[in-house]
Short mmCIF file of all heavy atoms in Angstrom, two decimals:
data_model
loop_
_atom_site.label_atom_id
_atom_site.label_comp_id
_atom_site.label_asym_id
_atom_site.label_seq_id
_atom_site.Cartn_x
_atom_site.Cartn_y
_atom_site.Cartn_z
N LEU A 555 10.22 -34.28 -9.65
CA LEU A 555 10.01 -35.05 -10.89
C LEU A 555 10.44 -36.48 -10.67
O LEU A 555 11.34 -36.78 -9.93
CB LEU A 555 10.73 -34.42 -12.04
CG LEU A 555 10.43 -32.97 -12.38
CD1 LEU A 555 11.44 -32.43 -13.37
CD2 LEU A 555 9.03 -32.88 -12.94
N PRO A 556 9.88 -37.40 -11.48
CA PRO A 556 10.48 -38.74 -11.53
C PRO A 556 11.93 -38.74 -11.98
O PRO A 556 12.32 -37.87 -12.72
CB PRO A 556 9.62 -39.48 -12.54
CG PRO A 556 8.36 -38.68 -12.67
CD PRO A 556 8.74 -37.26 -12.37
N PHE A 557 12.69 -39.76 -11.56
CA PHE A 557 14.13 -39.68 -11.73
C PHE A 557 14.52 -39.42 -13.14
O PHE A 557 15.38 -38.55 -13.44
CB PHE A 557 14.77 -41.02 -11.23
CG PHE A 557 16.24 -41.13 -11.46
CD1 PHE A 557 17.09 -40.33 -10.69
CD2 PHE A 557 16.75 -41.95 -12.42
CE1 PHE A 557 18.48 -40.36 -10.90
CE2 PHE A 557 18.11 -42.04 -12.63
CZ PHE A 557 19.01 -41.26 -11.84
N LEU A 558 13.97 -40.17 -14.08
CA LEU A 558 14.42 -40.02 -15.50
C LEU A 558 14.01 -38.71 -16.11
O LEU A 558 14.65 -38.28 -17.13
CB LEU A 558 13.84 -41.22 -16.35
CG LEU A 558 14.43 -42.58 -16.04
CD1 LEU A 558 13.77 -43.66 -16.83
CD2 LEU A 558 15.96 -42.59 -16.28
N ASP A 559 13.11 -38.01 -15.52
CA ASP A 559 12.70 -36.67 -16.03
C ASP A 559 13.60 -35.59 -15.46
O ASP A 559 13.55 -34.48 -15.96
CB ASP A 559 11.26 -36.38 -15.67
CG ASP A 559 10.23 -37.25 -16.38
OD1 ASP A 559 10.63 -37.84 -17.39
OD2 ASP A 559 9.07 -37.37 -15.92
N ARG A 560 14.40 -35.94 -14.48
CA ARG A 560 15.27 -34.90 -13.86
C ARG A 560 16.38 -34.51 -14.75
O ARG A 560 16.93 -33.39 -14.66
CB ARG A 560 15.84 -35.41 -12.52
CG ARG A 560 14.68 -35.63 -11.51
CD ARG A 560 15.27 -36.32 -10.22
NE ARG A 560 14.20 -36.95 -9.52
CZ ARG A 560 14.38 -37.74 -8.41
NH1 ARG A 560 15.57 -38.01 -8.04
NH2 ARG A 560 13.28 -38.24 -7.81
N PHE A 561 16.78 -35.35 -15.72
CA PHE A 561 17.85 -35.06 -16.62
C PHE A 561 17.49 -33.83 -17.50
O PHE A 561 18.28 -32.91 -17.65
CB PHE A 561 18.21 -36.22 -17.48
CG PHE A 561 18.82 -37.36 -16.72
CD1 PHE A 561 17.99 -38.26 -16.02
CD2 PHE A 561 20.17 -37.58 -16.69
CE1 PHE A 561 18.53 -39.35 -15.35
CE2 PHE A 561 20.69 -38.61 -15.97
CZ PHE A 561 19.87 -39.51 -15.28
N GLY A 562 16.32 -33.89 -18.05
CA GLY A 562 15.85 -32.75 -18.86
C GLY A 562 15.71 -31.49 -18.06
O GLY A 562 16.08 -30.34 -18.52
N ALA A 563 15.21 -31.59 -16.83
CA ALA A 563 15.09 -30.42 -15.96
C ALA A 563 16.45 -29.82 -15.66
O ALA A 563 16.61 -28.59 -15.62
CB ALA A 563 14.35 -30.80 -14.71
N ALA A 564 17.43 -30.67 -15.39
CA ALA A 564 18.78 -30.19 -15.16
C ALA A 564 19.37 -29.41 -16.31
O ALA A 564 19.96 -28.32 -16.20
CB ALA A 564 19.68 -31.33 -14.73
N ALA A 565 19.19 -29.96 -17.54
CA ALA A 565 19.70 -29.33 -18.75
C ALA A 565 18.99 -27.99 -18.96
O ALA A 565 19.63 -26.99 -19.32
CB ALA A 565 19.52 -30.20 -19.94
N ALA A 566 17.67 -27.96 -18.73
CA ALA A 566 16.86 -26.75 -18.87
C ALA A 566 17.30 -25.65 -17.94
O ALA A 566 17.21 -24.43 -18.24
CB ALA A 566 15.38 -27.02 -18.79
N ALA A 567 17.79 -26.06 -16.76
CA ALA A 567 18.28 -25.08 -15.75
C ALA A 567 19.77 -24.68 -16.01
O ALA A 567 20.23 -23.84 -15.28
CB ALA A 567 18.18 -25.70 -14.41
N GLY A 568 20.34 -25.19 -17.06
CA GLY A 568 21.70 -24.74 -17.39
C GLY A 568 22.83 -25.62 -17.01
O GLY A 568 23.99 -25.33 -17.25
N PHE A 569 22.54 -26.75 -16.39
CA PHE A 569 23.62 -27.70 -16.05
C PHE A 569 24.09 -28.46 -17.28
O PHE A 569 23.33 -28.85 -18.15
CB PHE A 569 23.13 -28.73 -15.00
CG PHE A 569 22.94 -28.10 -13.62
CD1 PHE A 569 21.63 -27.78 -13.18
CD2 PHE A 569 23.99 -27.95 -12.78
CE1 PHE A 569 21.43 -27.23 -11.92
CE2 PHE A 569 23.80 -27.42 -11.49
CZ PHE A 569 22.52 -27.08 -11.06
N GLU A 570 25.43 -28.72 -17.28
CA GLU A 570 25.97 -29.44 -18.38
C GLU A 570 26.39 -30.87 -17.90
O GLU A 570 26.84 -31.69 -18.77
CB GLU A 570 27.26 -28.75 -18.89
CG GLU A 570 26.91 -27.42 -19.57
CD GLU A 570 28.10 -26.66 -20.08
OE1 GLU A 570 29.25 -27.22 -19.94
OE2 GLU A 570 27.96 -25.56 -20.64
N ALA A 571 26.24 -31.13 -16.66
CA ALA A 571 26.59 -32.47 -16.09
C ALA A 571 25.67 -32.77 -14.94
O ALA A 571 25.06 -31.90 -14.35
CB ALA A 571 28.03 -32.42 -15.61
N VAL A 572 25.65 -34.08 -14.63
CA VAL A 572 24.82 -34.58 -13.52
C VAL A 572 25.55 -35.64 -12.77
O VAL A 572 26.57 -36.21 -13.26
CB VAL A 572 23.47 -35.17 -13.98
CG1 VAL A 572 22.63 -34.14 -14.66
CG2 VAL A 572 23.71 -36.36 -14.89
N GLU A 573 25.19 -35.86 -11.54
CA GLU A 573 25.60 -36.93 -10.69
C GLU A 573 24.41 -37.46 -9.98
O GLU A 573 23.39 -36.80 -9.95
CB GLU A 573 26.74 -36.54 -9.73
CG GLU A 573 26.26 -35.44 -8.73
CD GLU A 573 27.33 -35.07 -7.65
OE1 GLU A 573 28.52 -35.06 -8.07
OE2 GLU A 573 26.91 -34.81 -6.55
N PHE A 574 24.54 -38.60 -9.33
CA PHE A 574 23.51 -39.09 -8.46
C PHE A 574 24.06 -40.29 -7.63
O PHE A 574 25.22 -40.62 -7.85
CB PHE A 574 22.28 -39.64 -9.29
CG PHE A 574 22.62 -40.40 -10.57
CD1 PHE A 574 23.21 -41.66 -10.46
CD2 PHE A 574 22.36 -39.82 -11.79
CE1 PHE A 574 23.51 -42.36 -11.61
CE2 PHE A 574 22.66 -40.57 -12.92
CZ PHE A 574 23.25 -41.85 -12.81
N LEU A 575 23.27 -40.65 -6.67
CA LEU A 575 23.79 -41.67 -5.75
C LEU A 575 23.96 -43.01 -6.51
O LEU A 575 25.05 -43.58 -6.57
CB LEU A 575 22.94 -41.87 -4.51
CG LEU A 575 22.87 -40.65 -3.57
CD1 LEU A 575 21.96 -40.94 -2.40
CD2 LEU A 575 24.27 -40.25 -3.08
N PHE A 576 22.89 -43.57 -6.98
CA PHE A 576 22.84 -44.92 -7.58
C PHE A 576 21.94 -44.99 -8.79
O PHE A 576 20.82 -44.41 -8.80
CB PHE A 576 22.33 -45.92 -6.48
CG PHE A 576 22.91 -45.71 -5.17
CD1 PHE A 576 22.13 -45.21 -4.15
CD2 PHE A 576 24.23 -46.04 -4.95
CE1 PHE A 576 22.67 -45.03 -2.89
CE2 PHE A 576 24.75 -45.87 -3.68
CZ PHE A 576 23.98 -45.32 -2.62
N PRO A 577 22.42 -45.64 -9.84
CA PRO A 577 21.63 -45.75 -11.11
C PRO A 577 20.91 -47.12 -11.22
O PRO A 577 20.22 -47.35 -12.18
CB PRO A 577 22.69 -45.68 -12.16
CG PRO A 577 23.89 -46.35 -11.54
CD PRO A 577 23.83 -46.00 -10.08
N TYR A 578 21.10 -48.03 -10.23
CA TYR A 578 20.86 -49.44 -10.49
C TYR A 578 19.40 -49.85 -10.62
O TYR A 578 19.11 -50.99 -10.96
CB TYR A 578 21.62 -50.23 -9.40
CG TYR A 578 23.06 -49.81 -9.30
CD1 TYR A 578 23.50 -49.12 -8.17
CD2 TYR A 578 23.93 -50.08 -10.33
CE1 TYR A 578 24.78 -48.72 -8.06
CE2 TYR A 578 25.29 -49.64 -10.21
CZ TYR A 578 25.65 -48.97 -9.09
OH TYR A 578 26.99 -48.55 -8.98
N GLU A 579 18.49 -48.96 -10.27
CA GLU A 579 17.06 -49.25 -10.45
C GLU A 579 16.61 -49.11 -11.90
O GLU A 579 15.49 -49.48 -12.24
CB GLU A 579 16.16 -48.35 -9.54
CG GLU A 579 16.37 -48.70 -8.05
CD GLU A 579 15.40 -47.84 -7.21
OE1 GLU A 579 14.61 -47.02 -7.80
OE2 GLU A 579 15.43 -47.96 -5.99
N HIS A 580 17.51 -48.53 -12.74
CA HIS A 580 17.18 -48.30 -14.15
C HIS A 580 18.21 -48.97 -15.04
O HIS A 580 19.39 -48.93 -14.68
CB HIS A 580 17.08 -46.84 -14.41
CG HIS A 580 16.10 -46.06 -13.61
ND1 HIS A 580 14.76 -45.99 -13.94
CD2 HIS A 580 16.18 -45.46 -12.38
CE1 HIS A 580 14.10 -45.29 -13.06
NE2 HIS A 580 14.97 -44.95 -12.07
N PRO A 581 17.86 -49.48 -16.17
CA PRO A 581 18.81 -49.96 -17.12
C PRO A 581 19.81 -48.89 -17.53
O PRO A 581 19.40 -47.73 -17.72
CB PRO A 581 17.98 -50.44 -18.31
CG PRO A 581 16.63 -50.69 -17.80
CD PRO A 581 16.44 -49.66 -16.62
N ALA A 582 21.07 -49.27 -17.60
CA ALA A 582 22.10 -48.26 -17.94
C ALA A 582 21.77 -47.62 -19.27
O ALA A 582 22.06 -46.38 -19.47
CB ALA A 582 23.44 -48.94 -17.98
N GLU A 583 21.27 -48.33 -20.20
CA GLU A 583 20.99 -47.79 -21.55
C GLU A 583 19.88 -46.72 -21.50
O GLU A 583 19.92 -45.77 -22.22
CB GLU A 583 20.58 -48.91 -22.50
CG GLU A 583 21.68 -49.88 -22.85
CD GLU A 583 22.02 -50.87 -21.72
OE1 GLU A 583 21.19 -50.97 -20.75
OE2 GLU A 583 23.01 -51.55 -21.83
N GLU A 584 18.95 -46.91 -20.59
CA GLU A 584 17.92 -45.94 -20.43
C GLU A 584 18.44 -44.58 -19.92
O GLU A 584 18.06 -43.56 -20.39
CB GLU A 584 16.85 -46.42 -19.41
CG GLU A 584 15.42 -46.13 -19.73
CD GLU A 584 14.43 -46.89 -18.87
OE1 GLU A 584 14.51 -46.72 -17.65
OE2 GLU A 584 13.62 -47.63 -19.45
N ILE A 585 19.34 -44.65 -18.98
CA ILE A 585 20.00 -43.44 -18.43
C ILE A 585 20.88 -42.80 -19.54
O ILE A 585 20.87 -41.58 -19.68
CB ILE A 585 20.79 -43.79 -17.16
CG1 ILE A 585 19.90 -44.31 -16.11
CG2 ILE A 585 21.52 -42.54 -16.67
CD1 ILE A 585 20.55 -44.81 -14.86
N ALA A 586 21.61 -43.64 -20.21
CA ALA A 586 22.48 -43.16 -21.29
C ALA A 586 21.67 -42.39 -22.35
O ALA A 586 22.16 -41.35 -22.86
CB ALA A 586 23.26 -44.27 -21.91
N ASP A 587 20.52 -42.85 -22.61
CA ASP A 587 19.67 -42.16 -23.60
C ASP A 587 19.28 -40.75 -23.10
O ASP A 587 19.27 -39.83 -23.92
CB ASP A 587 18.41 -43.01 -23.86
CG ASP A 587 18.61 -44.20 -24.72
OD1 ASP A 587 19.67 -44.33 -25.32
OD2 ASP A 587 17.74 -45.08 -24.76
N ARG A 588 19.01 -40.63 -21.83
CA ARG A 588 18.67 -39.29 -21.28
C ARG A 588 19.89 -38.38 -21.30
O ARG A 588 19.74 -37.20 -21.60
CB ARG A 588 18.12 -39.44 -19.84
CG ARG A 588 16.85 -40.27 -19.72
CD ARG A 588 15.75 -39.72 -20.53
NE ARG A 588 14.58 -40.58 -20.52
CZ ARG A 588 13.40 -40.28 -19.91
NH1 ARG A 588 13.26 -39.15 -19.26
NH2 ARG A 588 12.43 -41.17 -20.00
N LEU A 589 21.05 -38.90 -20.99
CA LEU A 589 22.22 -38.10 -21.06
C LEU A 589 22.48 -37.59 -22.50
O LEU A 589 22.74 -36.42 -22.69
CB LEU A 589 23.46 -38.95 -20.61
CG LEU A 589 23.49 -39.34 -19.10
CD1 LEU A 589 24.58 -40.38 -18.85
CD2 LEU A 589 23.75 -38.13 -18.21
N SER A 590 22.32 -38.49 -23.41
CA SER A 590 22.58 -38.09 -24.85
C SER A 590 21.54 -37.12 -25.27
O SER A 590 21.84 -36.12 -26.00
CB SER A 590 22.58 -39.36 -25.66
OG SER A 590 22.68 -39.07 -27.05
#
């Protein structure tokens, strides 16, 4: 999946947390929205 769609996939698979190498290709607020 595209990077920003992976957050939903992780939650659907039962994960409560995520990590990744680097966030800098995306605005921090965009990633924060997916986390929330």
Side-chain angles (χ1 to χ4, degrees):
L555 300 170
F557 177 72
L558 291 176
D559 292 340
R560 296 173 198 172
F561 293 82
F569 287 100
E570 297 179 358
V572 296
E573 62 176 36
F574 40 69
L575 295 181
F576 314 108
Y578 309 108
E579 292 184 0
H580 301 273
E583 292 76 12
E584 217 170 60
I585 297 173
D587 286 345
R588 299 301 174 111
L589 292 169
S590 177

